[in-house]
Amino acid sequence: MHAMDRFSSPTVCCAGVLLGLLLSGVVCFAQPQPPAAGTSARALVSDVIITGTRQVQAEQVKNMLKTRAGRPYDPQLVQEDVRTLYGTHQFANVYSDRQEDGQGGFKVYFFIREYPSKVEKVEYRGGGHLRKDDLDTLTGIRAGVPLNPIANKSACQAIVHKLNEEGRPFANCTLLKGGEAGDTEVIFNITEGPKVKVRDISFTGQAFVSGAVLRTHINSSRAFLGLLGGTYNQAMVEADTDALLKYYRTFGYHDVRVARELQYAPGGKEVTLIFHVQEGVRYRVKDRPTVHGVQCMPHEQLEVLSKIEPGEYFDQRKIDTDIGRIKHWLGNTGRNVKADAFPVYTRESPGIVTVHYQIEETPPARVGEIKIVGNDRTRRNIILRQIPLYPGQILTYPDLRQAELNLARLGIFDSSPDGAVKPTVTAIDSAIYPNSPVKDILVTVQEANTGSLLFGIGVNSDSGLNGSIVLNERNFDLFRPPTSVEDFINGTAFRGAGQEFRAEAVPGIQFQRYTVSLREPFLFDSPFSLTVSAYYNERLFNEYAEERYGGRVTLGRKLNDKWSASVGARIENVNVSGVGFGAPVDYTSVLGDNFQVGLSGRVVRDTRDSYMRATSGSQLEFSFEEITGDRTFPLATIDGSKFFTTFQRADGSGKHVLAIHSQVSWAGSNTPVFERYFAGGFRSIRGFAFRGVGPDVNGFKVGGDFMVLNSLEYQVPVRANDQIYFVG
């Protein structure tokens, strides 16, 4: 089929048909085709001749050209060469011509008029805050190059622009020499002016949100204590104005106007930025969005995917969500979809907007070869298992985006917060069959620095003063030991399998912990994960001292987007010492070493919208562990949290969150005191001392075998950027 497709173009006459037409006296014409390699259908360039150069060698000019002797003559390429020569700023005028050579080819002439003089001296006067080397790089002017008055004037403007970027809006540059064709010196006279700091930023006319919220959507900032940061940048202020316009239009303020005002303090070293906002009318959507251009199904089938209701305010975020649903729906049928939203505003209906979605789709395609670029250390299978596409299957385009998310989530490839740098997965035409319905998959990654060594110190009411040393490698490979010193230098030793290795030391006064763990997130390229760890903990309680060391193995599986499950085992020894006089039997019976083995299971349902700060959704965990050894007893826990957004600003920020948390834990009657439940502390019941809640015998806290904890927590953002919260 592929061979037939490649020769089924209407521009080609089949051999049998052509023979028949020739015998019947009919001529078969084909559309013009590019000549095959090695034919002489196009005239060749027999020579390239440079005229008019005196200061620059003709061979130097030829080296800049793409037009060469022996190549086909291309007038567009000749014009591109002319533009290239102009771009060097070495020539006053350049034009080209051609002449037949009498043998079917062309001689190509480049006529050049040079500037009459060369630069003998470059001088910068007054530029005290810019080094000469930086100025030379900025202007590109050196002694010995042809003097170009236009380039010299542009260089003067570049110096001013650089000083403006550094916060000097009053900078000026005058070209004392070098502006005339006969000059031999280039002298810049630079007036830098004072560096201006932003004293304050204010807004007028806004009602949609507060000025504090608007300030989070611009890049200009105030100087801290008048000294740190806050450098005035005119270009940034202009960009801030555009950002505010875009922000307002996102929420339906189509007619918004934003103007900036600068109020300089006496002396001109400080400025107050004032953004004057005229919000105008906030537009509402007249009807549900309509879909146009779809071919593979009725447009009504896609229109029902929209969540926009008639009469609600225009919201670009909801429109983007609609576009995503449409592309996902059609993409799962194997069609590559381009979808755009077109809001229509009319004078006849002020404050009303109609939204249309325009669809362009391509026929279904199949997956060809999967190509990976950029994985210098990471194994190919580590990347392939994150791509839910296989050669031969229908190309489902939403899976391309899912593959990008999967690769970014690994944390072993470069990803920037703005999305400018990230792993990319794209469908490209097959190199073997460019016109066939088979698309190759190109995966492009840029490997990140996956190793880290962190030092820290902290103090809290539960464990006192602690230090922290953490060595972490997110792209570890247990079975890739170094074979030479070069493996350490280039970073390939023990790297490339996507495993996570972590070694942690937490020395402290009341508590210390030392752990080593290795996690394989995809055991044998399966959906199962395996974690192996060894640990040593030491803790001083009010009643006794505990020393615990052992190991743990956990096998996990993510069942779907919400559910995950795991089973595990631990083997450890718990040493109890330092029990005070008069201690109850709960402590005296466990003095010394206590060996135990635990087998556990855990199921988790997680629908939180964020792991860092959830504002909606819930988390529910069921766990059970049966422990045997010196004693046999069970441990069971149900732990749940639910999050509600009770208030938010008009733009969706500033969310107030109510968090409800409940925990029910039960232990068998034979459970030793070091495995019982204690409450109190900032991780349990705030306002009580660590382990300060529970049964008491002779002044000793002995813990309980049943515990119910319930809490309500209310979170309120303190700052407009939502980075600091008050929690009650």
Side-chain angles (χ1 to χ4, degrees):
M1 287 297 294
H2 294 308
M4 184 176 293
D5 290 341
R6 295 184 65 188
F7 293 95
S8 60
S9 170
T11 64
V12 181
C13 293
C14 296
V17 177
L18 176 60
L19 178 59
L21 291 175
L22 289 176
L23 292 175
S24 62
V26 180
V27 181
C28 175
F29 291 99
Q31 294 182 9
Q33 297 296 310
T39 67
S40 58
R42 294 173 59 183
L44 299 179
V45 176
S46 59
D47 197 5
V48 177
I49 302 170
I50 310 297
T51 64
T53 57
R54 296 187 307 276
Q55 304 176 51
V56 181
Q57 301 256 344
E59 288 302 320
Q60 289 181 276
V61 177
K62 286 185 178 181
N63 290 334
M64 303 178 193
L65 306 178
K66 294 182 180 178
T67 301
R68 302 286 177 88
R71 295 181 178 178
Y73 174 76
D74 186 344
Q76 294 182 351
L77 194 62
V78 172
Q79 291 305 311
E80 183 181 336
D81 286 338
V82 171
R83 290 191 293 270
T84 299
L85 295 177
Y86 265 120
T88 64
H89 302 295
Q90 298 184 46
F91 310 114
N93 192 15
V94 180
Y95 65 97
S96 66
D97 198 0
R98 72 177 189 182
Q99 181 181 0
E100 294 183 3
D101 61 2
Q103 299 179 358
F106 292 110
K107 294 180 180 179
V108 180
Y109 293 84
F110 288 89
F111 300 96
I112 296 174
R113 182 166 64 87
E114 296 181 334
Y115 291 104
S117 57
K118 284 188 176 183
V119 176
E120 297 179 359
K121 177 183 177 183
V122 181
E123 182 180 348
Y124 305 97
R125 298 179 182 177
H129 289 88
L130 293 174
R131 298 184 307 168
K132 187 177 184 304
D133 290 344
D134 295 333
L135 287 167
D136 286 341
T137 302
L138 186 65
T139 62
I141 299 174
R142 304 284 194 280
V145 302
L147 188 138
N148 184 341
I150 298 176
N152 296 341
K153 294 174 183 177
S154 297
C156 210
Q157 296 173 358
I159 293 173
V160 173
H161 182 71
K162 178 65 175 178
L163 291 170
N164 290 161
E165 287 182 343
E166 295 187 351
R168 302 180 186 275
F170 303 110
N172 185 39
C173 177
T174 305
L175 190 61
L176 300 181
K177 288 187 178 181
E180 301 296 333
D183 291 339
T184 58
E185 295 181 338
V186 181
I187 302 177
F188 299 97
N189 186 40
I190 303 169
T191 303
E192 293 186 333
K195 178 173 282 192
V196 178
K197 295 283 188 177
V198 177
R199 172 189 285 182
D200 194 17
I201 301 174
S202 62
F203 301 84
T204 66
Q206 78 282 356
F208 177 59
V209 291
S210 67
V213 175
L214 293 179
R215 193 175 292 117
T216 65
H217 293 277
I218 63 176
N219 289 318
S220 296
S221 60
R222 295 175 292 189
F224 181 69
L225 299 177
L227 299 173
L228 302 176
T231 301
Y232 172 74
N233 186 320
Q234 181 178 349
M236 184 180 293
V237 173
E238 298 295 340
D240 289 340
T241 303
D242 293 337
L244 292 173
L245 289 171
K246 182 179 179 181
Y247 170 77
Y248 267 99
R249 287 169 182 164
T250 295
F251 297 99
Y253 290 93
H254 174 68
D255 303 323
V256 65
R257 299 289 183 269
V258 179
R260 60 162 180 81
E261 179 185 353
L262 306 177
Q263 292 183 353
Y264 285 94
K269 292 187 177 181
E270 289 184 318
V271 64
T272 298
L273 301 181
I274 304 175
F275 292 94
H276 299 282
V277 181
Q278 296 179 0
E279 293 180 342
V281 177
R282 189 177 183 186
Y283 280 70
R284 293 181 181 271
V285 179
K286 181 180 180 181
D287 300 304
R288 291 178 64 88
T290 57
V291 176
H292 303 270
V294 63
Q295 303 294 328
C296 62
M297 64 181 63
H299 61 89
E300 294 87 357
Q301 192 170 343
L302 296 177
E303 289 171 353
V304 298
L305 298 176
S306 175
K307 300 300 182 182
I308 299 175
E309 297 295 335
E312 69 178 41
Y313 286 117
F314 177 93
D315 191 331
Q316 187 65 46
R317 298 172 304 173
K318 291 185 177 180
I319 288 178
D320 292 342
T321 301
D322 278 359
I323 291 293
R325 288 194 189 98
I326 291 172
K327 295 177 71 173
H328 190 276
W329 185 273
L330 292 174
N332 277 326
T333 67
R335 290 168 172 80
N336 188 17
V337 179
K338 179 181 179 183
D340 293 302
F342 294 94
V344 179
Y345 305 89
T346 61
R347 294 183 179 179
E348 292 76 14
S349 303
I352 299 297
V353 60
T354 302
V355 180
H356 303 292
Y357 297 146
Q358 185 65 39
I359 307 297
E360 295 181 18
E361 57 182 271
T362 61
R366 291 190 177 273
V367 177
E369 181 184 357
I370 298 179
K371 304 176 181 179
I372 302 175
V373 177
N375 58 322
D376 297 329
R377 295 190 296 267
T378 305
R379 294 180 180 178
R380 177 179 171 85
N381 69 302
I382 306 303
I383 298 174
L384 286 177
R385 67 193 183 193
Q386 301 300 327
I387 302 172
L389 294 168
Y390 302 91
Q393 76 169 78
I394 293 291
L395 174 54
T396 48
Y397 284 88
D399 285 332
L400 297 179
R401 306 288 77 80
Q402 185 61 50
E404 292 181 343
L405 294 174
N406 293 345
L407 291 170
R409 195 179 295 120
L410 293 178
I412 62 177
F413 303 115
D414 281 336
S415 296
S416 60
D418 60 0
V421 178
K422 64 176 183 178
T424 60
V425 183
T426 55
I428 61 175
D429 287 332
S430 172
I432 302 176
Y433 304 110
N435 296 321
S436 73
V438 176
K439 301 291 183 182
D440 289 342
I441 306 301
L442 177 62
V443 182
T444 305
V445 296
Q446 183 175 332
E447 292 183 322
N449 183 9
T450 54
S452 61
L453 179 62
L454 305 177
F455 299 89
I457 189 170
V459 61
N460 62 62
S461 58
D462 286 7
S463 56
L465 180 65
N466 295 100
S468 177
I469 305 173
V470 180
L471 172 64
N472 195 76
E473 171 57 53
R474 301 189 305 275
N475 196 12
F476 191 72
D477 189 346
L478 180 64
F479 303 106
R480 195 174 188 176
T483 58
S484 64
V485 177
E486 186 180 356
D487 289 346
F488 282 106
I489 297 175
N490 60 28
T492 58
F494 292 113
R495 279 196 176 110
Q499 303 163 356
E500 182 174 2
F501 173 81
R502 182 181 180 90
E504 182 179 22
V506 182
I509 298 175
Q510 300 178 27
F511 170 75
Q512 54 183 328
R513 178 180 71 247
Y514 305 91
T515 61
V516 177
S517 65
L518 176 66
R519 179 175 181 268
E520 170 54 75
F522 298 92
L523 185 64
F524 305 123
D525 288 330
S526 72
F528 292 91
S529 63
L530 178 67
T531 303
V532 180
S533 63
Y535 53 87
Y536 173 85
N537 301 337
E538 188 177 293
R539 180 75 191 240
L540 297 178
F541 297 103
N542 292 333
E543 298 82 4
Y544 73 107
E546 179 183 296
E547 183 184 59
R548 189 182 295 238
Y549 56 89
R552 188 184 300 270
V553 178
T554 303
L555 183 67
R557 168 74 188 268
K558 189 172 179 63
L559 305 177
N560 53 41
D561 291 341
K562 298 179 181 179
W563 291 91
S564 61
S566 64
V567 294
R570 61 166 165 156
I571 301 176
E572 65 181 11
N573 183 75
V574 182
N575 181 272
V576 175
S577 62
V579 176
F581 178 76
V585 67
D586 306 78
Y587 286 100
T588 58
S589 63
V590 295
L591 279 170
D593 292 328
N594 298 269
F595 175 76
Q596 57 186 20
V597 177
L599 300 176
S600 62
R602 179 171 171 262
V603 178
V604 178
R605 183 183 187 273
D606 196 341
T607 61
R608 293 174 296 172
D609 61 344
S610 171
Y611 296 138
M612 299 298 294
R613 186 201 177 229
T615 62
S616 65
S618 63
Q619 183 183 29
L620 184 62
E621 177 181 334
F622 304 89
S623 64
F624 180 83
E625 184 176 24
E626 181 69 23
I627 297 179
T628 186
D630 292 342
R631 293 168 183 81
T632 300
F633 56 93
L635 298 172
T637 296
I638 301 176
D639 196 324
S641 299
K642 178 69 176 177
F643 303 90
F644 303 90
T645 295
T646 60
F647 171 82
Q648 61 183 342
R649 302 186 190 109
D651 64 350
S653 63
K655 292 182 178 180
H656 292 206
V657 177
L658 175 66
I660 301 174
H661 177 253
S662 294
Q663 178 183 345
V664 179
S665 297
W666 169 79
S669 58
N670 197 35
T671 303
V673 66
F674 52 78
E675 292 288 353
R676 293 178 188 165
Y677 303 116
F678 296 82
F682 74 93
R683 289 191 179 93
S684 175
I685 303 179
R686 298 179 186 272
F688 290 86
F690 176 61
R691 291 166 60 103
V693 180
D696 185 296
V697 177
N698 299 333
F700 288 79
K701 293 293 181 182
V702 295
D705 55 16
F706 183 78
M707 178 176 69
V708 178
L709 293 178
N710 294 284
S711 67
L712 292 176
E713 185 175 278
Y714 198 75
Q715 306 171 8
V716 180
V718 177
R719 302 194 62 188
N721 60 8
D722 292 350
Q723 293 182 354
I724 300 177
Y725 295 88
F726 172 80
V727 179

